[in-house]
């Protein structure tokens, strides 16, 4: 019988988790995924509490990820989970992902890929060796108008790309929340849990990923200037850098978590010989297209004139707002459709395969470590190597 729904397990995302709820909502938005099991917390009581809240069977709520992977592997093929969604802090990404892949389970992983670049390289090898599906949830490339932007660039509408600007201003860490018991701030500012990068690891990776995706180009060199503005904070909370792209284009990236009053208005601009584009999350259904020799154009989500990639990632007619949850869900939907196609012996549509994966994860971790290293050493340019 043709498979129409996937069974998902979850690691992390217990009571009080922001990102766990986002993943569950996004995964199940299109009725392609059913949550069947999980280990939601390092404390079994909290994990069971979450399981009850989600109406899961008590015997599918596990003490830890090792038990979950082992016991799910023992279930009949038509009952066990097909893939696992991992929504833990960065230092608990590699081990459960590697274990799941080796046990024959596909993986959706919250970004960044791992705690270190070395772990990312090892995980990439495991993904390649096991031939399992892997999705990394870089949310912002899931927006329909970001996909429209990329297709216009790849189609050559703007000619050779010359300039890329990307910025991600936040203000929520303007005060030392980690010193006041804030759990989210606590692990994000702790290098043992977050990794080498603070703001760059948390949101700079999103800006970097968006810049490469929208421009269709890879960064070849960077020159970074990172700072820690809040006293007694260990990791960077503010930074900017110059970028060089493989085709000779130049760029600027800014990511900060101490821009008091700012929320999450990530923004990208790409300019070529003939014109450019601009997209920002505070108006996600709009793509501004600017020309050298004619008036500015406005592209909108849900309209009949956008690319097949933009259309495939929209759910409602034009004028009905689609936002962060829908963009997040687009990655799950494309991942799920592609996986279902494999399970059913079919070829996935090209639009379904457009979701972030292994290369995005590797380049994201290389970005963090190279930016931190470059900033500390004070050298002008560092070659981008994965």
């Amino acid at each position: 019988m043709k498979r129409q729904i996937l069974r998902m397990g979850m690691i992390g995302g217990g009571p009080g988790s922001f990102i766990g709820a986002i993943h569950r909502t996004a995964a199940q938005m299109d009725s392609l995924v059913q949550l069947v099991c999980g280990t939601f917390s390092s404390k079994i009581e909290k994990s069971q509490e979450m399981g009850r809240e989600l109406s899961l069977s008590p015997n599918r709520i596990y003490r830890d990820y090792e038990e979950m992977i082992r016991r799910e592997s023992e279930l009949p093929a038509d009952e066990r989970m097909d893939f696992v969604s991992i929504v833990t802090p960065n230092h608990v990404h590699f081990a459960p992902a590697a274990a799941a892949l080796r046990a024959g389970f596909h993986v959706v992983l919250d970004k960044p890929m791992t705690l270190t670049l070395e772990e990312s390289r090892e995980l990439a090898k495991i993904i390649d060796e096991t031939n399992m599906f892997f999705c990394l949830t870089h949310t912002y490339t899931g927006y329909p108008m970001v996909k429209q932007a990329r297709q216009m660039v790849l189609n050559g509408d703007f000619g050779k790309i010359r300039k890329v600007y990307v910025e991600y201003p936040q203000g929520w860490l303007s005060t030392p929340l980690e010193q006041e018991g804030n759990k989210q701030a606590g692990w994000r500012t702790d290098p043992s849990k977050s990794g080498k990068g603070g703001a760059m690891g948390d949101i700079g990776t999103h800006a970097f990923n968006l810049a490469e995706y929208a421009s269709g180009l890879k960064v070849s060199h960077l020159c970074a200037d990172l700072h820690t503005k809040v006293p007694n904070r260990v990791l960077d909370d503010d930074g900017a850098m110059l970028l060089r792209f493989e085709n000779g284009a130049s760029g600027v990236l800014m990511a900060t978590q101490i821009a008091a009053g700012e929320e999450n208005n990530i923004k990208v601009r790409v300019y070529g010989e003939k014109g450019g584009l601009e997209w920002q999350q505070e108006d996600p259904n709009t793509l501004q297209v600017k020309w050298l020799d004619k008036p500015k154009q406005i592209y909108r989500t849900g309209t009949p004139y956008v690319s097949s990639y933009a259309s495939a990632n929209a759910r409602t007619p034009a004028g009905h707002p689609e936002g962060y949850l829908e963009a997040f869900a687009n990655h799950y939907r494309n991942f799920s459709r592609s996986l279902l196609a494999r399970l059913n012996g079919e070829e996935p549509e090209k639009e379904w395969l457009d979701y972030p994966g292994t290369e995005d994860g590797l380049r994201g971790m290389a970005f963090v470590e190279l930016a931190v290293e470059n900033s500390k050493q004070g050298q002008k340019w560092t070659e981008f190597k994965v």
Side-chain angles (χ1 to χ4, degrees), residues 156-218:
D157 293 1
F158 306 111
K160 181 180 178 181
I161 299 304
R162 293 171 166 172
K163 195 75 179 179
V164 180
Y165 294 94
V166 65
E167 61 184 68
Y168 198 155
Q170 287 182 343
W172 75 289
L173 285 178
S174 293
T175 60
L177 293 179
E178 67 272 25
Q179 300 170 35
E180 301 168 8
N182 184 295
K183 184 178 179 180
Q184 295 297 323
W187 76 259
R188 283 179 168 84
T189 57
D190 180 349
S192 70
K193 295 180 172 62
S194 182
K196 292 183 179 180
M200 284 301 143
D202 193 17
I203 60 175
T205 47
H206 276 310
F208 171 79
N209 183 256
L210 179 59
E212 289 202 330
Y213 183 85
S215 69
L217 300 171
K218 303 296 185 190

Side-chain angles (χ1 to χ4, degrees), residues 140 143 146 164-169 203 206-208 210-211 214 252-255 262 264-271 277-283 286 288 290:
Y140 308 103
Y143 279 101
V146 173
V164 180
Y165 294 94
V166 65
E167 61 184 68
Y168 198 155
I203 60 175
H206 276 310
F208 171 79
L210 179 59
V252 180
L253 182 151
M254 182 275 280
E262 291 288 351
N264 285 278
N265 191 26
I266 187 170
K267 177 179 180 179
V268 64
R269 290 175 285 165
V270 180
Y271 298 99
L277 59 86
E278 178 178 329
W279 177 87
Q280 59 181 336
Q281 185 173 230
E282 285 190 353
D283 186 13
T286 297
Q288 296 185 52
K290 306 170 184 181

Side-chain angles (χ1 to χ4, degrees), residues 241-386:
M241 66 190 69
L242 301 176
L243 305 173
R244 286 179 182 169
F245 291 84
E246 58 190 351
N247 76 331
S250 60
V252 180
L253 182 151
M254 182 275 280
T256 181
Q257 293 177 311
I258 50 88
E262 291 288 351
E263 296 176 346
N264 285 278
N265 191 26
I266 187 170
K267 177 179 180 179
V268 64
R269 290 175 285 165
V270 180
Y271 298 99
E273 299 166 313
K274 303 174 184 178
L277 59 86
E278 178 178 329
W279 177 87
Q280 59 181 336
Q281 185 173 230
E282 285 190 353
D283 186 13
N285 281 14
T286 297
L287 176 68
Q288 296 185 52
V289 178
K290 306 170 184 181
W291 301 107
L292 187 63
D293 56 358
K294 53 186 174 182
K296 179 171 70 175
Q297 295 176 330
I298 302 296
Y299 283 68
R300 294 281 291 169
T301 297
T303 50
Y305 49 75
V306 299
S307 71
S308 63
Y309 286 83
S311 295
N313 288 276
R315 293 173 175 76
T316 60
H320 295 78
E322 295 190 30
Y324 178 79
L325 283 171
E326 288 85 357
F328 215 112
N330 284 336
H331 291 328
Y332 268 99
R333 181 166 64 175
N334 290 334
F335 167 86
S336 298
R337 284 174 167 174
S338 298
L339 178 51
L340 283 168
R342 175 193 279 190
L343 296 177
N344 290 323
E346 301 170 350
E347 287 294 322
E349 300 290 335
K350 64 182 188 298
E351 291 84 359
W352 302 352
L353 296 170
D354 183 27
Y355 60 85
T358 308
E359 184 179 16
D360 300 274
L362 281 169
R363 292 187 66 81
M365 287 307 306
F367 162 78
V368 174
E369 297 201 2
L370 289 171
V372 171
E373 177 185 343
N374 177 271
S375 183
K376 286 181 178 179
Q377 292 181 354
Q379 66 189 70
K380 187 173 182 181
W381 291 103
T382 293
E383 184 179 0
F384 196 101
K385 294 181 179 180
V386 175

